């Protein structure tokens, strides 16, 4: 397997000095320099501007500026420590049985945790509140969460305030709006007045994308429709029983609704925002700080597994690996349709959308800022906060880029970018203006 | 003419047989009829897993996919599959049904035993002291009707551990009936007994052990019996809500996976566990009560 070869070559990466200029420096200071460079690179963006900027000011002055909003010393300590032995090899990781958790789950049967020196077991939870409580109460060491959750938990919204890290995004895309069969004539949001929808959690991309989609079509998500929080596995049963009109849910529950002949896939979430983040890998700052080596090994396993899942030729094997009762407990045929993107849509057609679900671990800071704007828009968080600061404290983009590069996968330049959502461009540097630009919101 | 117990058994078998037959008839699935369907439609149905091809090329409904409520045969197949792997452990989240029963019984036993000890002590204290009885009675009356599951979020928040929360939910469910019955039993012991014990100058512990507890035993056992039932009712939903491995969890996971024959099987397991524990309890209670 080519993957293994890649790994052999990358294992020596922290010692090899390909990232560093000073070959004869002590390894510690080389690592320091590497991290400082990555931080600067991440903060300042393109290489050319960075060089000019650094030449003009001197790198230590720039670093001092950058450190104000990025915990450089933390990152340094974290990576340097990782040279030592793993503190806690036996780990328990909470997950929700959905395809979004694919990298976290498959890392167990396909041996990604083992490869990075960990004996990690994944533990199935029945809902997001449960996974949140397990994680905060330390019943699990790390957890599969929705990408807004580490932000909301860090801000103390809908839970105790506990500082969280989101080292990696689990999947991008991978959700859909599924409607009950009786709504086959529906064209868009304007036909959805009075509908009852489900989303898996208050602080979820599902909720924010559904709200965004409805509001763009002139439907107020809190006044014109009902949105209920229901754990994903129960949504299909509710749809079948006629309790709800539809949901914006993670897969396989959109495909499962088609399989059960209960509904049809109305819109893939990638049609709302191509490449949006969905689920996430989350860990408390406390765990990362007390077990830095374990944390880095776990971080590597997750990034490694996520890149493996990105390769479409591995998707059928993955579907087989995660379908047993211990993991997703779903028919292989349903998982295959989700992961390969060749699926029955419930309207009598077979569609071919290879990136219906995709996997990319990079937690763009701009994604966090977008999520924060929506939390503000719908008054999910009422207190004031600094968008950029929260994004940078929670989403570990720089470290994710380092690890991705170290493992021999692609490198990422910036940590922020513009995103296009339903044709509208989002500039992460102007969040407040963005929030105020929506005619439908809970502010006013 | 057969003796009565045999006739009752035969009647049971007949009733079960009729019930199974009605169940079977009510859930008979129609066989798949491919006529009038185009090749495209058939291909789509096959792709979606509705139908599968048999060896001779004909289409039948996919036997792995539920078509309405499952019949007794399907549930039997499911039960056979589950029971033949009852002692397997396939990873963190897939433990055989025997393990699940064991976890539930353990959780139940821990909560029920702790509650019984606390409740009997509290009940004796309340029963022996009229002042304490008057003081605590309003509190007990207030706490008694609260559903044990209502305590769950608070317990989860304070003990921060789902296993202990489940045990404490059982504890809360089993506490009040025993307290109330013990207090009642102790306060209504014949005063003759107590007088005799003070004549004999028995010590406090001896009096408790030799007179009060045996005297109140029938009432205490009745209390334990009610507590036992309500704790058994509480343990299943607690597992469902907490995601703790056990038979409640089994029921919920099968429902989440929309495996209805699995749900029926899980319900039957709950029933069998309940009846077994109850008959064990009856045996034990016979040992400690005496005919008056």
């Amino acid at each position: 397997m080519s993957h293994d070869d890649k790994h052999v070559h990358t294992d020596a990466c922290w010692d090899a000095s390909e990232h560093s200029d000073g070959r004869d420096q002590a390894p510690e200071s080389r690592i320091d320099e590497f991290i400082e460079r990555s931080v600067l690179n991440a903060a300042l963006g393109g290489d050319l501007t960075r060089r000019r900027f650094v030449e003009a000011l001197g790198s230590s002055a720039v670093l001092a500026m950058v450190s104000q909003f990025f915990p450089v010393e933390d990152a340094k300590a974290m990576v340097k420590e990782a040279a030592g032995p793993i503190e806690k090899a036996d780990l328990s990781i909470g997950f929700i049985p959905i395809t979004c958790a694919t990298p976290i789950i498959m890392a167990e049967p396909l041996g990604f945790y083992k490869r990075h020196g960990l004996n990690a077991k994944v533990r199935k939870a029945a809902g997001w509140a449960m996974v949140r409580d397990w994680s905060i109460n330390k019943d699990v060491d790390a957890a599969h969460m929705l990408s807004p959750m580490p932000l909301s938990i860090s801000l103390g919204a809908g839970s105790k305030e506990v500082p969280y890290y989101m080292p990696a995004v689990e999947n991008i895309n991978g959700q859909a709006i599924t409607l009950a069969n009786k709504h086959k004539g529906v064209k868009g949001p304007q036909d959805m007045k009075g509908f009852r929808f489900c989303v898996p959690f208050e602080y979820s991309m599902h909720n924010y994308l559904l709200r965004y989609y409805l509001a763009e079509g002139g439907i107020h998500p809190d006044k014109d429709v009902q949105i209920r929080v229901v754990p994903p596995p129960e949504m299909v049963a509710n749809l079948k029983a006629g309790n709800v009109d539809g949901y914006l849910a993670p897969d396989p529950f959109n495909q499962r609704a088609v399989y059960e002949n209960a509904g049809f896939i109305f819109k893939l979430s990638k049609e709302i925002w191509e490449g949006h983040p969905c689920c996430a890998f989350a860990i408390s700052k406390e765990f990362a700080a007390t077990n830095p080596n374990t944390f880095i090994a776990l971080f590597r396993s997750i990034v490694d597994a996520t890149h493996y899942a990105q390769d479409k030729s591995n998707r059928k094997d993955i579907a087989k690996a995660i379908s047993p009762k211990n993991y997703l407990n779903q028919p292989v045929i349903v998982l295959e349709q989700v992961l390969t993107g060749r699926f029955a849509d419930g309207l009598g057609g077979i569609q071919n959308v290879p990136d219906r679900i995709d996997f990319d671990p990079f937690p763009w800071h701009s994604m966090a800022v977008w999520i924060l704007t929506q939390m503000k828009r719908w008054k999910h968080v009422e207190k004031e906060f600094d968008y950029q600061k929260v994004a940078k404290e929670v989403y570990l983009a720089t470290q994710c880029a380092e690890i991705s590069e170290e493992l021999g996968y692609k490198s990422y330049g910036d940590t922020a970018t513009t995103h296009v959502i339903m044709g509208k461009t989002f500039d992460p540097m102007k969040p407040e203006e963005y929030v105020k630009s929506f005619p439908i919101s809970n502010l006013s | 003419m057969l003796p009565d117990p045999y006739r009752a058994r035969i009647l049971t078998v007949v009733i079960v047989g009729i019930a199974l037959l009605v169940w079977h008839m009510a859930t008979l699935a129609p066989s798949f009829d491919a006529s009038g369907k185009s090749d495209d439609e058939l291909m789509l149905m096959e792709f979606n897993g509705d139908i599968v091809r048999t060896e001779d090329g004909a289409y039948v409904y996919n036997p792995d996919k539920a078509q309405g409520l499952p019949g007794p045969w399907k549930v039997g197949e499911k039960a056979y599959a589950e029971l033949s792997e009852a002692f397997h452990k396939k990873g963190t989240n897939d433990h055989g049904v025997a393990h699940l029963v064991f976890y539930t019984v353990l959780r139940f036993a821990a909560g029920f035993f702790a509650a019984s000890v606390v409740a009997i002590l509290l009940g004796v204290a309340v029963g022996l002291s009229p002042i304490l009885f008057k003081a605590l009675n309003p509190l007990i009356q207030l706490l008694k009707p609260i559903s044990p599951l209502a305590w769950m979020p608070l317990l989860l928040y304070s003990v921060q551990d789902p296993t202990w929360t489940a045990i404490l939910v059982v504890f809360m469910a089993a506490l009040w009936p025993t307290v109330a019955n013990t207090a009642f039993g102790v306060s209504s012991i014949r005063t003759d007994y107590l007088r005799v014990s003070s004549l004999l100058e028995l010590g406090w512990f001896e009096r408790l052990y030799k007179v009060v507890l045996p005297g109140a035993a029938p009432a205490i056992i009745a209390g334990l019996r009610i507590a036992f039932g309500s704790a058994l009712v509480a343990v299943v939903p607690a597992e469902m809500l907490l995601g703790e491995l056990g038979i409640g969890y089994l029921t919920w996971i099968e429902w989440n996976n929309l495996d209805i024959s699995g749900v029926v099987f899980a319900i039957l397991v709950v029933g069998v566990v309940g009846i077994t524990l109850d008959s064990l309890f009856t045996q034990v209670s016979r040992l400690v009560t005496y005919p008056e």
Side-chain angles (χ1 to χ4, degrees):
Chain A
M1 201 165 64
S2 67
H3 198 261
D4 280 330
D5 303 338
K6 212 175 335 186
H7 191 71
V8 172
H9 143 80
T10 54
D11 247 353
C13 240
W14 287 117
D15 312 317
S17 46
E18 51 186 279
H19 298 296
S20 174
D21 310 317
R23 246 167 209 285
D24 34 34
Q25 288 171 11
E28 289 224 331
S29 64
R30 269 190 327 200
I31 292 175
D32 273 2
E33 195 195 305
F34 169 50
I35 290 165
E36 280 168 10
R37 264 164 32 98
S38 328
V39 170
L40 283 177
N41 205 19
L44 298 175
D47 212 42
L48 186 69
T49 46
R50 192 200 82 221
R51 205 170 289 157
R52 279 203 193 137
F53 196 54
V54 175
E55 270 166 17
L57 279 170
S59 77
S60 57
V62 174
L63 198 66
M65 276 170 60
V66 171
S67 322
Q68 287 182 336
F69 53 85
F70 183 82
V72 183
E73 292 307 319
D74 284 7
K76 268 193 216 167
M78 218 153 68
V79 178
K80 218 182 292 173
E81 291 291 319
I86 284 167
E87 302 88 352
K88 187 178 182 211
D90 293 320
L91 297 176
S92 168
I93 302 172
F95 77 97
I96 302 283
I98 54 179
T99 42
C100 303
T102 296
I104 291 177
I105 301 169
M106 66 173 227
E108 186 187 308
L110 299 183
F112 284 88
Y113 295 126
K114 244 184 215 106
R115 177 183 295 175
H116 295 276
L118 298 170
N119 175 31
K121 296 270 178 246
V122 293
R123 186 170 161 208
K124 181 149 64 182
W128 292 107
M130 189 186 285
V131 106
R132 177 199 63 202
D133 295 344
W134 280 359
S135 186
I136 293 179
N137 298 341
K138 296 173 193 160
D139 286 312
V140 292
D141 301 298
H144 163 212
M145 284 188 187
L146 296 153
S147 47
M149 284 170 72
L151 295 168
S152 65
I153 297 173
S154 293
L155 287 170
S159 85
K160 297 193 247 188
E161 188 176 327
V162 187
Y164 258 74
Y165 282 148
M166 193 182 107
V169 170
E170 277 316 292
N171 71 303
I172 55 175
N173 301 334
Q175 312 168 0
I177 300 178
T178 295
L179 297 179
N181 280 333
K182 65 176 175 207
H183 295 305
K184 276 186 179 164
V186 166
K187 297 257 176 335
Q190 64 279 5
D191 302 330
M192 296 181 181
K193 213 163 188 166
F195 272 27
R196 264 192 289 195
F197 285 107
C198 304
V199 292
F201 197 62
E202 188 88 342
Y203 307 95
S204 66
M205 283 308 290
H206 312 81
N207 195 3
Y208 296 130
L209 288 176
L210 179 63
R211 285 166 170 271
Y212 191 99
Y213 176 74
L214 292 170
E216 288 296 287
I219 298 288
H220 195 298
D222 287 316
K223 292 176 186 156
D224 300 330
V225 296
Q226 270 185 46
I227 300 181
R228 292 189 196 168
V229 172
V230 172
E234 288 160 40
M235 290 180 185
V236 185
N238 271 306
L239 195 71
K240 215 172 179 176
N243 285 342
V244 297
D245 297 287
Y247 49 74
L248 199 153
D251 264 311
F253 297 101
N254 302 297
Q255 198 58 49
R256 188 70 199 248
V258 176
Y259 180 79
E260 299 292 338
N261 303 312
F264 65 99
I265 295 175
F266 172 72
K267 194 171 272 298
L268 296 174
S269 59
K270 77 184 273 287
E271 299 170 49
I272 299 173
W273 172 1
E274 172 79 59
H276 70 81
C278 177
C279 282
F281 176 70
I283 195 160
S284 72
K285 191 173 169 184
E286 189 194 332
F287 185 91
T290 41
N291 308 281
N293 304 336
T294 312
F295 170 56
I296 292 293
L298 196 52
F299 202 161
R300 283 184 187 134
S301 326
I302 295 291
V303 171
D304 204 1
T306 312
H307 280 293
Y308 179 83
Q310 192 172 47
D311 186 343
K312 296 196 171 63
S313 62
N314 296 327
R315 300 271 178 95
K316 275 201 173 183
D317 294 337
I318 294 172
K320 236 173 242 116
I322 62 174
S323 80
K325 204 168 176 180
N326 192 36
Y327 305 116
L328 294 194
N329 196 13
Q330 290 283 340
V332 181
I333 184 173
V334 171
L335 297 182
E336 254 186 35
Q337 291 188 47
V338 172
L339 291 173
T340 63
R342 203 174 110 75
F343 62 95
D345 57 13
L347 288 166
I350 293 179
Q351 294 196 29
N352 208 353
V353 188
D355 53 356
R356 166 185 181 167
I357 185 170
D358 213 340
F359 301 93
D360 189 333
F362 195 59
W364 292 93
H365 288 148
S366 41
M367 289 173 167
V369 174
W370 185 84
I371 292 167
L372 292 168
T373 63
Q374 300 305 303
M375 287 180 173
K376 198 144 219 190
R377 178 182 181 185
W378 304 116
K379 280 202 168 174
H380 285 175
V381 176
E382 295 201 36
K383 68 175 179 186
E384 289 301 316
F385 52 80
D386 178 342
Y387 291 92
Q388 312 297 338
K389 184 166 170 277
V390 175
K392 281 170 182 149
E393 275 172 3
V394 178
Y395 279 36
L396 303 185
T398 317
Q399 291 90 331
C400 184
E402 276 167 38
I403 284 177
S404 175
E405 233 174 283
E406 173 217 324
L407 291 171
Y409 297 110
K410 74 179 194 185
S411 52
Y412 301 83
D414 276 344
T415 62
T417 182
T418 53
H419 301 286
V420 179
I421 300 139
M422 288 181 83
K424 199 168 158 181
T425 305
F426 164 63
D427 177 356
M429 298 324 281
K430 294 174 187 160
E432 231 9 85
E433 284 171 36
Y434 185 71
V435 171
K436 293 197 179 104
S437 73
F438 296 108
I440 294 183
S441 82
N442 283 345
L443 304 167
S444 62
Chain B
M1 194 74 178
L2 284 163
D4 273 358
Y6 288 101
R7 287 163 60 192
R9 284 288 133 77
I10 290 169
L11 193 60
T12 307
V13 170
V14 170
I15 291 172
V16 170
I18 291 172
L20 283 176
L21 194 70
V22 170
W23 180 12
H24 176 73
M25 299 305 284
T27 52
L28 271 182
S31 62
F32 179 66
D33 179 16
S35 60
K37 293 231 167 17
S38 70
D39 284 352
D40 277 353
E41 279 173 293
L42 287 172
M43 198 189 77
L44 187 66
M45 286 183 85
E46 194 180 3
F47 184 72
N48 196 32
D50 288 316
I51 52 177
V52 289
R53 229 186 282 240
T54 57
E55 274 169 28
D56 50 0
Y59 284 112
V60 291
Y61 277 123
N62 181 357
D64 294 332
K65 192 164 166 175
Q67 309 280 340
L69 279 176
W73 185 250
K74 268 210 118 144
V75 174
E77 274 179 353
K78 173 78 183 175
Y80 179 76
E82 288 283 341
L83 291 173
S84 59
E85 293 188 338
F87 293 94
H88 288 217
K89 257 191 200 179
K90 287 186 264 177
T92 324
N93 312 298
D94 185 8
H95 294 191
V97 65
H99 292 288
L100 297 182
V101 167
F102 177 70
Y103 302 143
T104 300
V105 170
L106 211 60
R107 217 167 273 144
F108 171 80
F112 179 70
F113 185 73
S116 303
V117 171
V118 172
I120 291 173
L121 292 177
L122 191 63
V124 168
V126 171
L128 285 178
S129 155
I131 293 174
L132 208 54
F133 182 84
K134 282 218 177 86
L136 289 181
N137 194 39
L139 282 177
I140 294 174
Q141 294 308 323
L142 174 73
L143 292 171
K144 209 167 63 166
I146 298 174
S147 157
L149 291 167
W151 293 100
M152 215 188 63
L154 186 64
L155 293 170
L156 198 56
Y157 184 80
S158 44
V159 302
Q160 305 206 339
D161 179 281
T163 311
W164 280 104
T165 302
I167 291 173
L168 286 169
V169 166
V170 174
F171 179 89
M172 294 308 288
L175 193 64
W176 307 115
T178 313
V179 172
N181 269 283
T182 308
F184 167 76
V186 170
S187 64
S188 52
I189 289 175
R190 286 193 208 163
T191 38
D192 298 352
Y193 291 176
L194 294 172
R195 267 190 221 125
V196 170
S197 71
S198 49
L199 271 178
L200 293 171
E201 294 184 342
L202 291 179
W204 193 85
F205 271 108
E206 221 169 347
R207 199 169 67 148
L208 179 71
Y209 184 70
K210 290 201 168 142
V211 182
V212 176
L213 285 179
I220 294 175
I221 293 293
L224 287 175
R225 174 142 229 164
I226 301 169
F228 189 88
S230 80
L232 200 58
V233 167
V235 72
V236 169
E239 284 173 354
M240 285 183 180
L241 290 168
L242 290 165
E244 284 292 281
L245 286 178
I247 49 179
Y249 174 85
L250 176 71
T251 319
W252 200 242
I253 276 304
E254 296 290 12
W255 157 243
N256 278 343
N257 192 37
L258 298 168
D259 184 344
I260 307 302
S261 38
V263 171
V264 178
F265 170 69
I267 293 170
L268 291 175
V269 173
V270 174
V272 170
V273 169
I275 203 173
T276 313
L277 288 176
D278 198 55
S279 67
L280 278 174
F281 185 78
T282 312
Q283 302 289 330
V284 173
S285 65
R286 272 199 202 123
L287 295 176
V288 292
T289 41
Y290 59 96
E292 202 154 326

